[in-house]
Amino acid sequence: MDEVDLAAVLLRLTLGGTMIAHGWNHAFGGGGLPGTARWFESIGIRPGRLHALLATMTEVGAGVMLLLGLGNALAAAGVVGVMLVALVSNHLKNGFFIFRPGEGYEYVLMITISALALAALGPGRISLDHVLGIHLDGPAGLALTALAGGVGAGVLLGLCWRPGRPTDATST
């Protein structure tokens, strides 16, 4: 195993495991899927139940694909898509640092950039993509991941995100 393969495996395991845990928490942590749906509704992503289910399936599915090194660029696009939706709909307004009230965007930004880097790097030789002869990395893998993840997030936000309007304290 060379240094590129080692880097790819480390990125895949970290991103894949993180996404599976994140999706699992949406489904079974705290208030479970109904709680996640209510939270999505509260930040303006509607219908909440549908998007809670889609986000959970995307996170777990992309995570498993990354762990296996299967469809690396598409799995990374799933990560980019859900993280961009989280960035825009919830974290961006809170500033950079995650420890700020409402949670800043440093965490979702790092996951997004890591997924883009993995798409450019490729899954490495210790992957199902390598076994199957799928070689979609470099500029093409990065472009596919950025385009698919960005367009997916943009379409979802454009069609389904309706953030609440701030209340004007001076109006009666």
Side-chain angles (χ1 to χ4, degrees):
M1 176 178 350
D2 68 13
E3 58 275 359
V4 172
D5 293 322
L6 180 59
V9 167
L10 288 173
L11 276 170
R12 285 189 9 242
L13 293 177
T14 301
L15 283 173
T18 298
M19 295 311 295
I20 291 168
H22 202 256
W24 188 267
N25 190 58
H26 278 203
F28 303 108
L33 206 54
T36 301
R38 286 189 299 275
W39 182 75
F40 275 33
E41 290 271 346
S42 78
I43 62 169
I45 298 178
R46 296 180 182 96
R49 177 134 177 95
L50 173 65
H51 290 288
L53 184 60
L54 290 174
T56 299
M57 289 176 19
T58 301
E59 290 167 356
V60 171
V64 168
M65 290 173 69
L66 289 172
L67 288 180
L68 297 173
L70 178 62
N72 185 67
L74 290 176
V79 172
V80 168
V82 295
M83 289 297 117
L84 287 178
V85 169
L87 177 75
V88 171
S89 66
N90 189 55
H91 296 281
L92 195 59
K93 68 184 181 293
N94 301 320
F96 181 74
F97 295 106
I98 189 112
F99 56 79
R100 292 178 52 102
E103 300 177 345
Y105 61 87
E106 69 178 310
Y107 173 74
V108 295
L109 179 64
M110 290 303 296
I111 291 176
T112 302
I113 298 303
S114 296
L116 290 168
L118 180 59
L121 180 65
R125 290 184 301 203
I126 303 170
S127 67
L128 286 178
D129 278 4
H130 180 74
V131 169
L132 297 171
I134 300 169
H135 301 287
L136 184 56
D137 54 16
L142 176 61
L144 174 65
T145 297
L147 187 64
V151 167
V155 167
L156 185 144
L157 290 166
L159 295 176
C160 304
W161 183 47
R162 300 293 178 264
R165 305 222 190 282
T167 305
D168 183 355
T170 61
S171 64
T172 54

